[in-house]
Amino acid sequence: MAVTTSSSITAPLPRLSSPLSSIITPAFQNLNHGLKPINRRQLLNAISISISISPILTPVAGARGLFQMPPVRLSNRYFLVRAGESEFESLGIINTNPVAKTSVDSGLSDKGKKQTLKAALDLKAMGACDNGCWIWPSITQRAYQAAEIIAAVNGISRSYIVPEYSFLDARGLGAYEGKKLEALSEVYESDTISPRNKPPPIDDGTPNESVSDVFVRVTQLMSILETQYSEETIVIVSPDSDNLTILQAGLVGLDLRRHRDLSFGPGEVRFVDTSSIPTYKQPASALYKCVNPPICT
C-alpha cells in the first residue's frame, strides 16, 4: 500500500551526513516538497541497499578461528606457575577430589607459602608483570592463595585475579585418592603407555581422568584466554603439576605420553615458549613413537 505525506509537514528535514544520505535524503526531499508520494517498501529497500554497500555501517571483524594444539601463534604471553605445597601434600597424601578444593585443608602449608613467595619473586625477576598482567588461578584453595601472594609481590590489584572454576582443577586420580604420594608413579607409568589410560574409578566423587581428559580441559582454557585477551600477559596458577605439563606438552607439540618429563615442582615458574621444546628427561629407548603429536595412542 502506498503511503502519502501529510500536508502538515512544512519544515525542511535535516541533511543526513552518513552514506545513507545519497539515497534517503532525495526521497525525503520529495516528500517535503510534495513532489511525489513514496512507497514504504521502496524506502526500506533503499535503506537495506545502502547498509549492504556501506563500509562504515558494516565493519568486518577479523576472526581468529578455533584454537588448536599446538598453536600456530599465541596472542598473549603466558607464564605457568604451580602452587606451593598443600597441607595434604605435606602429609604425603593424594587429594584430588574437587569437593574439597576450597577447603582450608587444601590450602598452602607453611612450606608451600615460602615456595609460592619464591615463585612470586621469580615472576618479578622475569619482569612478567612489569606492564601489568592477569592472574588466572584455579579456585582450589592453594592455587588461589598463591595468586594472592603473586599479586601482592608484583603490585597487581586483586581485581586482576580471575578465578577459574573447573578447567584448572587438579587432575582427578580416582581410586588413588587418599593414598600415599609414592603411588603416583603407577599413574605416570600408565600415562606412558597411552594418554587415554584412566586411573581406576572410585565412588566418592573423585573423577578418574586420563591425560587426554586433562588435555581437553586445558585446551578449552587456552581457547578462552586467546579469545578474551590480546597482547596481554597471563599468569596461569595450577594446584598440581599435571595440568601444566599436559598444557605445555600440547603447546610445544610434545607427545602427551611424555608430559611427566616436563614435571613442575611446587612453586615452580615457567615462561611458555612455543618455539622450543624445553629440556626433559631422556625416555627409555623406543618407548615413545608418535606420528601426530601431541595426540598419540
Side-chain angles (χ1 to χ4, degrees), residues 116-263:
T116 301
L117 177 59
K118 182 180 181 302
L121 292 171
D122 287 344
L123 285 168
K124 190 175 182 67
M126 297 166 76
C129 297
D130 284 355
N131 296 313
C133 64
W134 292 90
I135 304 174
W136 274 62
S138 163
I139 196 61
T140 304
Q141 184 78 351
R142 62 184 177 275
Y144 195 84
Q145 287 177 337
E148 291 184 312
I149 294 172
I150 290 169
V153 170
N154 287 272
I156 300 300
S157 167
R158 291 182 65 178
S159 62
Y160 284 82
I161 299 177
V162 184
E164 209 302 304
Y165 289 87
S166 59
F167 295 147
L168 279 174
D169 282 356
R171 178 184 178 185
L173 295 178
Y176 286 92
E177 186 75 359
K179 290 187 176 183
K180 295 293 185 181
L181 290 176
E182 289 77 9
L184 287 173
S185 60
E186 299 174 19
V187 176
Y188 297 132
E189 183 177 354
S190 177
D191 288 349
T192 64
I193 298 172
S194 171
R196 294 183 175 83
N197 286 344
K198 294 175 178 282
I202 194 173
D203 60 4
D204 68 350
T206 305
N208 58 320
E209 294 184 294
S210 67
V211 170
S212 294
D213 292 332
V214 177
F215 179 73
V216 170
R217 287 202 278 112
V218 296
T219 300
Q220 290 173 319
L221 172 68
M222 289 300 299
S223 180
I224 292 171
L225 294 174
E226 284 291 283
T227 301
Q228 185 167 334
Y229 302 103
S230 179
E231 298 184 1
E232 299 278 3
T233 296
I234 317 293
V235 179
I236 297 174
V237 186
S238 171
D240 69 347
S241 175
D242 285 5
N243 279 330
L244 302 179
T245 58
I246 294 169
L247 171 57
Q248 188 173 18
L251 289 172
V252 301
L254 181 67
D255 185 336
L256 290 179
R257 291 173 296 183
R258 301 178 66 168
H259 79 93
R260 183 61 179 168
D261 295 334
L262 303 175
S263 178

Side-chain angles (χ1 to χ4, degrees), residues 275-287:
S275 65
S276 64
I277 296 177
T279 303
Y280 45 81
K281 291 176 260 183
Q282 184 66 32
S285 175
L287 180 59

Side-chain angles (χ1 to χ4, degrees), residues 8-16 25 28-29 31-33:
S8 63
I9 301 178
T10 57
L13 291 168
R15 183 173 182 80
L16 302 176
T25 300
F28 276 115
Q29 286 174 341
L31 290 174
N32 190 41
H33 292 88

Side-chain angles (χ1 to χ4, degrees), residues 50-111:
S50 176
I51 291 175
S52 68
I53 65 175
S54 170
I56 296 178
L57 297 179
T58 56
V60 178
R64 299 186 195 178
L66 296 176
F67 184 80
Q68 299 179 358
M69 288 279 206
V72 176
R73 62 180 293 273
L74 291 173
S75 298
N76 305 290
R77 287 200 315 158
Y78 293 93
F79 290 85
L80 308 182
V81 181
R82 178 182 173 182
E85 177 190 74
S86 70
E87 292 286 2
F88 278 104
E89 287 172 327
S90 70
L91 299 174
I93 298 174
I94 295 173
N95 175 252
T96 61
N97 192 325
V99 172
K101 65 184 179 181
T102 58
S103 167
V104 175
D105 293 334
S106 293
L108 294 170
S109 66
D110 288 340
K111 181 179 179 181

